[in-house]
Amino acid sequence: MDSALSDPHNGSTEAGGPTNSTTRPPSTPEGIALAYGSLLLMALLPIFFGALRSVRCARGKNASDMPETITSRDAARFPIIASCTLLGLYLFFKIFSQEYINLLLSMYFFVLGILALSHTISPFMNKFFPATFPNRQYQLLFTQGSGENKEEIINYEFDTKDLVCLGLSSIVGVWYLLRKHWIANNLFGLAFSLNGVELLHLNNVSTGCILLGGLFIYDVFWVFGTNVMVTVAKSFEAPIKLVFPQDLLEKGLEANNFAMLGLGDVVIPGIFIALLLRFDISLKKNTHTYFYTSFAAYIFGLGLTIFIMHIFKHAQPALLYLVPACIGFPVLVALAKGEVTEMFSYEESNPKDPAAVTESKGTEASASKGLEKKEK
């Protein structure tokens, strides 16, 4: 899952182009507006709900619910690792048959997508189960060694409701595997994005600035400096991007002229926005100023990306616009409120610290109630 979510090499917004020599009729202004508006909405949903879920992200027994903390060293290495991965995929597509590579990738993301979608819909599905539903508890435990040297490798607890969610997600997985339909692709893409924002935690704001700054340079170089990113994004048949057809009004669900947004442009800013929500809660002022500021900044940055792309008719590195907005807006607010020191000194608690677990449970309810009141 992390490898699927931490690869922002598909992170450029671009107008969908034909994958064969057939000339497609130009999209209507209505179709283009619908496509980009839908992409914007699909990007906002996993960020908002993923940030909420990151606050109450379990720090307990289930390995699937343990947050993965990104340190400053990880953030500094990330653009280099992402560049090597991107270039490797580009060479693979140039040297080997694209059909066989995508077949292997489809099987890989088929499994990951089912698990991610099941984890995503589980909290919502629990509301639909009747009180009389026979819900049994299960545990999957793998250990290494014996006696005092025994070490847990996997300790995963689940129940019958989780198995039902897994079955429903498998139906979507089979649909994606057989048809590669854009709706199935988006369901998996949304699940990957939400899980990434929920489970990938930056340890502080400085680390977030390092990560976003490095990927800012990475995104600009690989989009404007070469054709590598655009080539990989168009060749890579996997749910690593959100897509929406510009010709939906003309062709319905069988439309195939897509606009696309890489998941990296959702997850990377999303984990920074989620960090600011947790910082808001740490201030204990019952406000979510920095979260809403960064969320508005994301809308502004992505909207500007779409506008520039539409004007110049060229794929755009979305992080070129998202990074200055998502960092700049909250910092300006912190300067105005005199809380810059508090912002950059804020440090995430150790997930294994019992005190952190207790504090997380206590702040979980207040975060949800506060955001619900704001929304009303």
Side-chain angles (χ1 to χ4, degrees), residues 1-6 64 108 112 115-117 119 191-192 195-196 199:
M1 164 104 79
D2 290 348
S3 62
L5 290 172
S6 61
S64 64
Y108 175 68
L112 289 181
L115 295 176
L117 187 59
H119 181 265
F192 285 139
N195 279 271
L199 299 174

Side-chain angles (χ1 to χ4, degrees), residues 176-244:
Y176 171 78
L177 200 62
L178 297 178
R179 297 290 305 278
K180 294 293 193 301
H181 198 277
W182 60 272
I183 294 180
N185 173 91
N186 287 344
L187 289 174
F188 277 167
L190 289 170
F192 285 139
S193 300
L194 190 146
N195 279 271
V197 176
E198 177 188 358
L199 299 174
L200 291 176
H201 287 197
L202 297 164
N203 64 347
N204 54 50
V205 174
S206 297
T207 298
C209 292
I210 294 171
L211 179 64
L212 267 67
L215 291 175
F216 171 89
I217 298 171
Y218 157 89
D219 217 19
V220 172
F221 172 77
W222 288 111
V223 173
F224 286 150
T226 71
N227 69 336
V228 172
M229 184 177 289
V230 175
T231 301
V232 171
K234 289 184 176 181
S235 304
F236 207 84
E237 292 183 5
I240 56 168
K241 54 200 172 194
L242 300 173
V243 300
F244 200 91

Side-chain angles (χ1 to χ4, degrees), residues 349-365:
S349 301
N350 186 345
K352 296 181 181 180
D353 185 0
V357 177
T358 304
E359 182 181 355
S360 172
K361 292 179 179 178
T363 57
E364 172 184 332

Side-chain angles (χ1 to χ4, degrees), residues 252-305:
L253 295 180
E254 298 305 317
N256 56 3
N257 184 18
F258 296 106
M260 64 183 73
L261 177 69
L263 297 190
D265 297 326
V266 180
V267 176
I268 299 302
I271 61 177
F272 186 74
I273 294 171
L275 172 67
L276 292 179
L277 173 60
R278 298 192 295 274
F279 169 64
D280 274 322
I281 294 169
S282 74
L283 295 176
K284 299 179 180 179
K285 295 182 178 180
N286 200 28
T287 61
H288 302 93
T289 305
Y290 294 101
F291 171 70
Y292 285 116
T293 299
S294 58
F295 195 74
Y298 182 87
I299 297 174
F300 170 79
L302 191 54
L304 183 60
T305 306

Side-chain angles (χ1 to χ4, degrees), residues 167-181:
L168 294 175
S169 302
S170 299
I171 296 174
V172 178
V174 172
W175 182 25
Y176 171 78
L177 200 62
L178 297 178
R179 297 290 305 278
K180 294 293 193 301
H181 198 277

Side-chain angles (χ1 to χ4, degrees), residues 88-98 101 227 231 235:
L89 285 171
Y90 178 79
L91 294 176
F92 261 89
F93 280 117
K94 289 294 184 181
I95 298 172
F96 301 103
S97 171
Q98 181 176 320
I101 296 174
N227 69 336
T231 301
S235 304

